[in-house]
């Protein structure tokens, strides 16, 4: 009897211990609109969300979704978003202030784009693992990429041949290559193999160095970066807008999984493609939201904070014209790229997400993106586990909940990488600077609904 009582008590303790093992944000009782970290931007913490249902007109059945992205509509969305981001009335001045802000933040130099400088745009082609085949996996459309290229070349004054569009671990698809190349023939395209016309193979900068801030990661202190990233003066992470099977969702942080060369680690993620060291495989257990608590070390913070990766971001942008539920899905036991999904929630009302989000603060951008994705019934992955743990860690990278010393260069501990908070509710979508433009210290969300 005594033993039985003991056993019951033990079981109860174990049950509660397990029940509490994943404690996520916001923990019960956390006040809303209590930002962590330090806001960044011409207007600190500002995130602009432009949405126009006319940008995405696919019927969900016929052909490929990316043939139904309206270039003119998307261009107007980006025009308006960039003007709101900086508070300027014309796009030349707006891009001038974006470059100026970046050079002051990075180098304390009050100057704009300078002749000869190059820019790398990091795409997330995670779904493109079947060699050079078009597929209906949700990702940035050529129209979204070209809208950005139009801005950089026209208003930013950057020559086409000084711009590289890349993903070093995956492959371009034919529709992306022709979509970009036909409009911007001198823009450089780079992928893992370089085996399709107009695309070069990635080269590695063997003098570069990134180290993960936890030695539990296999190969943690031996990571290199692609030359297109290390030799560019500016980076623009152009994210997808979707859920993710391991990380819950994927925006700026996860994008840089496609930028790291780990000589000790091999990926052979497709029988159709030779093994590559552009392989983030050893990081996966550390971003898996089902096994990592709130307050755990997260390697996304190292990628966000490295001065040759996200930290060098001129602009952070989410290509959300066709957002999706996941990076990948299983059909008859086989993995396949996941198509876009319609968003049921307000204000989408059962249409494609038809949105572009921009910010100068990567943590703020991902925070708003996460609130939208988490609120969407058709993106259930964004509700799993503590998916925004990396935003807590990253916003307080100087003093994170996990106690990690984040130091991805091995030379200097990181400062705050931006500001994180959640909106006050999914209908009003107010952040602290919306509620109080003077005393608010967090995010300001500017919504533009066409
Ligand atoms: C890298 O890490 C391994 C094991 O964690 C260690 O043995 C090695 O000395 C480290 N190398 C450098 C250069 O820090
Ligand atoms: C995340 O971890 C869980 C529990 O170990 C595992 O079942 C799942 O397959 C992992 N997810 C991914 C995408 O690796
Ligand atoms: C990793 O790939 C290299 C080729 O880059 C190969 O020589 C090596 O045997 C592979 N190692 C493993 C453990 O598969
Ligand atoms: C959210 O903001 C709206 C608009 O300012 C306000 O009416 C509402 O009370 C706020 N909700 C919460 C929970 O603070």
């Amino acid at each position: 009897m005594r033993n039985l009582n003991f056993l019951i008590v033990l079981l109860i303790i174990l049950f509660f211990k397990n029940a509490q093992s994943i404690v996520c944000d916001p923990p019960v009782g956390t006040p809303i609109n209590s930002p962590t970290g330090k806001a960044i931007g011409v207007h600190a913490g500002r995130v602009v969300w432009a949405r126009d249902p006319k940008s995405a007109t696919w019927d969900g059945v016929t052909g490929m979704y990316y043939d139904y992205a309206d270039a003119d509509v998307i261009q107007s969305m980006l025009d308006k978003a960039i003007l709101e981001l900086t508070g300027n009335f014309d796009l030349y001045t707006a891009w001038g202030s974006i470059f100026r802000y970046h050079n002051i933040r990075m180098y304390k130099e009050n100057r704009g784009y300078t002749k000869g400088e190059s820019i790398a745009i990091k795409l997330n082609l995670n779904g493109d693992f079947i060699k050079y085949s078009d597929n209906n996996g949700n990702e940035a459309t050529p129209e979204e990429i070209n809208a950005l290229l139009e801005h950089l070349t026209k208003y930013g004054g950057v020559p086409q041949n000084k711009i590289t569009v890349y993903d070093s671990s995956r492959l371009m698809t034919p529709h992306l290559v022709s979509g970009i190349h036909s409009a911007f023939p001198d823009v450089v395209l780079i992928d893992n193999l370089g085996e399709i016309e107009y695309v070069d193979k990635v080269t590695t900068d063997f003098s570069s160095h990134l180290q993960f801030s936890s030695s539990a990661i296999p190969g943690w202190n031996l990571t290199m970066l692609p030359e297109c990233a290390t030799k560019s003066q500016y980076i623009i992470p152009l994210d997808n807008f979707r859920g993710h099977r391991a990380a819950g969702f994927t925006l700026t942080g996860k994008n840089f999984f496609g930028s790291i060369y780990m000589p000790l680690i091999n990926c052979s993620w497709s029988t159709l493609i030779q093994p590559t060291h552009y392989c983030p495989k050893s990081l996966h257990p550390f971003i898996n939201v089902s096994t990592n608590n709130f307050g755990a070390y997260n390697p996304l913070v190292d990628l966000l904070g490295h001065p040759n990766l996200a930290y060098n971001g001129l602009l952070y942008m989410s290509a959300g014209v066709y957002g999706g539920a996941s990076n990948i899905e299983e059909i008859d036991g086989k993995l396949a790229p996941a198509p876009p999904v319609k968003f049921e929630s307000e204000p989408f009302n059962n249409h494609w997400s038809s949105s572009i989000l921009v910010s100068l603060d990567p943590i703020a951008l991902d925070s708003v993106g996460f609130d939208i994705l988490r609120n969407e019934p058709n993106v259930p992955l964004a509700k799993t586990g503590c998916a925004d743990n990396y935003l807590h860690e990253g916003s307080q990278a100087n003093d994170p909940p996990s106690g990690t010393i984040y130091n991805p260069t091995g030379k200097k501990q990181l400062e705050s990488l931006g500001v994180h908070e959640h909106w006050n509710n999914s209908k009003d979508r107010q952040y602290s600077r919306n509620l109080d433009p003077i005393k608010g210290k967090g995010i300001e969300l500017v919504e533009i609904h066409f």
Side-chain angles (χ1 to χ4, degrees), residues 388-433:
D388 64 346
N389 178 44
Y390 78 95
L391 299 172
H392 286 264
E393 292 281 293
S395 61
Q396 305 165 90
N398 52 317
D399 184 16
S402 66
T404 305
I405 309 284
Y406 284 103
N407 183 356
T409 57
K411 292 180 183 150
K412 190 167 172 274
Q413 189 180 356
L414 295 181
E415 306 277 322
S416 163
L417 299 176
V419 79
H420 172 61
E421 68 175 302
H422 295 289
W423 59 30
N424 75 344
N425 65 58
S426 61
K427 187 171 154 287
D428 299 303
R429 301 187 287 270
Q430 301 289 297
Y431 292 85
S432 57
R433 277 182 215 257

Side-chain angles (χ1 to χ4, degrees), residues 7 12 29 40 94 108 110 140 183 240 250 290 302 313 401 430:
L7 199 66
I12 289 173
I40 296 171
K108 299 197 166 56
N110 185 3
N240 299 332
T250 173
S290 349
D302 288 316
Q430 301 289 297

Side-chain angles (χ1 to χ4, degrees), residues 14 83 136 207 271 308:
L14 279 177
L83 292 177
N136 242 349
S207 69
T271 49
N308 289 122

Side-chain angles (χ1 to χ4, degrees), residues 245-246 288 290-291:
R245 297 226 313 178
N288 187 331
S290 349
T291 49

Side-chain angles (χ1 to χ4, degrees), residues 199-359:
V199 178
D200 297 330
K201 181 179 168 67
V202 65
T203 55
T204 305
D205 181 344
F206 290 101
S207 69
S208 63
H209 174 73
L210 180 149
Q211 63 186 50
F212 290 98
S213 301
S214 164
S215 57
I217 293 180
W220 69 279
N221 57 8
L222 201 57
T223 298
M224 290 143 197
L225 305 172
E227 288 192 297
C228 54
T230 61
K231 304 252 187 285
S232 293
Q233 280 70 37
Y234 310 92
I235 291 217
I236 301 183
L238 184 49
D239 310 329
N240 299 332
F241 191 66
R242 66 180 177 208
H244 186 274
R245 297 226 313 178
F249 67 100
T250 173
L251 295 164
T252 313
K254 186 69 189 30
N255 192 343
F256 286 94
F257 262 45
S259 273
I260 51 173
Y261 180 92
M262 300 185 82
L264 301 178
I265 314 290
N266 283 357
C267 273
S268 45
W269 29 265
S270 161
T271 49
L272 299 171
I273 298 173
Q274 65 234 39
T276 174
H277 297 300
Y278 278 98
C279 178
K281 194 166 69 178
S282 65
L283 308 180
H284 280 142
F286 298 85
I287 57 151
N288 187 331
V289 292
S290 349
T291 49
N292 287 283
N293 277 324
F294 183 64
Y297 161 75
N298 195 310
L300 297 182
V301 177
D302 288 316
L303 300 174
L304 283 164
H306 194 283
N308 289 122
L309 298 180
Y311 191 77
N312 197 21
L314 174 66
L315 171 78
Y316 303 90
M317 173 168 166
S318 273
V321 168
Y322 282 101
S326 182
N327 52 322
I328 218 170
E329 65 180 9
E330 224 167 292
I331 302 171
D332 302 329
K334 284 184 82 176
L335 292 178
V341 291
K342 289 191 173 171
F343 280 41
E344 266 173 38
S345 52
E346 285 274 355
F348 307 102
N349 295 318
N350 216 20
H351 189 66
W352 309 108
S353 48
S354 52
S355 296
I356 284 177
L357 287 90
V358 292
S359 185

Side-chain angles (χ1 to χ4, degrees), residues 46-56 69-85 91 95 98 139-151 236-242 251-252 315-323 343 347-348 351-360 364-366 368-370 372-373 444-450:
R46 185 174 287 186
V47 177
V48 184
W49 170 17
R51 184 186 64 92
D52 189 337
K54 294 190 299 303
S55 62
D70 190 304
D72 293 337
V73 171
I74 291 169
Q75 193 71 64
S76 315
M77 286 160 67
L78 187 64
D79 290 355
K80 197 81 197 323
I82 293 293
L83 292 177
E84 286 291 339
L85 186 62
L91 286 162
W95 277 97
I98 290 172
E139 64 187 15
T141 57
E143 287 73 14
E144 289 162 290
I145 301 164
N146 287 348
L148 177 61
L149 291 172
E150 176 76 7
H151 271 214
I236 301 183
L238 184 49
D239 310 329
N240 299 332
F241 191 66
R242 66 180 177 208
L251 295 164
T252 313
L315 171 78
Y316 303 90
M317 173 168 166
S318 273
V321 168
Y322 282 101
F343 280 41
F348 307 102
H351 189 66
W352 309 108
S353 48
S354 52
S355 296
I356 284 177
L357 287 90
V358 292
S359 185
L360 300 179
L365 181 81
D366 284 20
V368 172
F370 173 58
I372 297 172
L373 292 171
E444 176 195 15
L445 174 60
V446 178
E447 297 188 20
I448 309 163
H449 300 287
F450 287 85

